[in-house]
Amino acid sequence: MFWNRKDALIEYVEAEAKLLMRSQAENRVILERSRDTLMNILLAGAGGSLALAVSLFDKGSESWLFYGVLLISVYLFGLGVLLVLGNSRGYSFLPMGNQPDYLYRSEYKDLDIIDFKELYLGTMQQVINENRENNASFSKWLGFIRLLASATPLWLGVAFLFEKSCEII
């Protein structure tokens, strides 16, 4: 009877772990799509701002407006670089399947299948923990870049105030 209860518990925990790992993988896909969308927005904004800066320069617009738009373009390109560098920091995602250390090895030959599953569940828990931490770090990094991107319009004000302060001096 104890064997059946333990076997049922192992099966339940293994099924729950697989569901959690699948959920984490889906979350990772959403985060990567969000990153890609943010990169597209940053590059579109940077390219559009650069084109506008060139146009303003050709028209002889006020210098604060030209420099402000140029600054926005450089700023958005810089955020794109930060996004790529942050992504290369190692937000890895471990596979949901069997880890290489827990594929069949000769020392496992005397293990009962329940004991082996317990060993394997320990590995699954490590994968779940690491993937959760990586997804959380990845999400925080995306949020930080979004926060910086939301401050983009402030650069026009900085350019305007800089020009006005130069006029005073």
Side-chain angles (χ1 to χ4, degrees):
M1 180 159 168
F2 175 72
W3 179 269
N4 290 335
R5 287 184 67 197
K6 187 174 183 182
D7 187 37
L9 177 63
I10 294 288
E11 294 299 321
Y12 171 77
V13 171
E14 185 176 22
E16 290 297 311
K18 287 179 181 178
L19 283 174
L20 184 55
M21 291 172 92
R22 189 174 305 118
S23 172
Q24 288 178 333
E26 291 168 0
N27 185 23
R28 182 52 170 246
V29 169
I30 291 168
L31 287 170
E32 288 173 348
R33 285 182 187 154
S34 179
R35 176 206 56 213
D36 295 344
T37 301
L38 180 58
M39 179 59 95
N40 288 338
I41 291 169
L42 291 173
L43 291 176
S49 296
L50 187 58
L52 180 58
V54 169
S55 175
L56 289 172
F57 183 76
D58 285 344
K59 291 179 183 176
S61 295
E62 294 199 36
S63 62
W64 72 267
L65 187 57
F66 165 72
Y67 286 115
V69 171
L70 185 63
L71 187 59
I72 285 175
S73 179
V74 170
Y75 180 71
L76 290 175
F77 276 122
L79 288 181
V81 168
L82 278 177
L83 186 61
V84 169
L85 290 176
N87 194 50
S88 66
R89 286 178 19 192
Y91 298 124
S92 62
F93 194 82
L94 299 176
M96 296 188 330
N98 201 342
Q99 296 298 307
D101 286 346
Y102 290 94
L103 293 173
Y104 181 78
R105 295 190 316 208
S106 60
E107 58 261 28
Y108 295 158
K109 67 182 177 193
D110 295 327
L111 284 179
D112 182 89
I113 187 66
I114 298 299
D115 294 334
F116 179 79
K117 283 186 172 186
E118 284 180 348
L119 182 67
Y120 179 60
L121 284 174
T123 299
M124 288 177 81
Q125 184 63 56
Q126 292 171 353
V127 168
I128 288 168
N129 291 345
E130 188 165 334
N131 285 343
R132 183 187 65 240
E133 291 171 12
N134 287 338
N135 279 353
S137 296
F138 192 10
S139 178
K140 286 177 186 175
W141 182 249
L142 286 176
F144 177 68
I145 298 295
R146 285 187 192 111
L147 177 67
L148 292 175
S150 69
T152 300
L154 296 175
W155 291 108
L156 279 177
V158 168
F160 177 76
L161 292 174
F162 181 74
E163 182 175 291
K164 293 303 175 192
S165 69
C166 288
E167 288 176 5
I168 295 172
I169 297 175

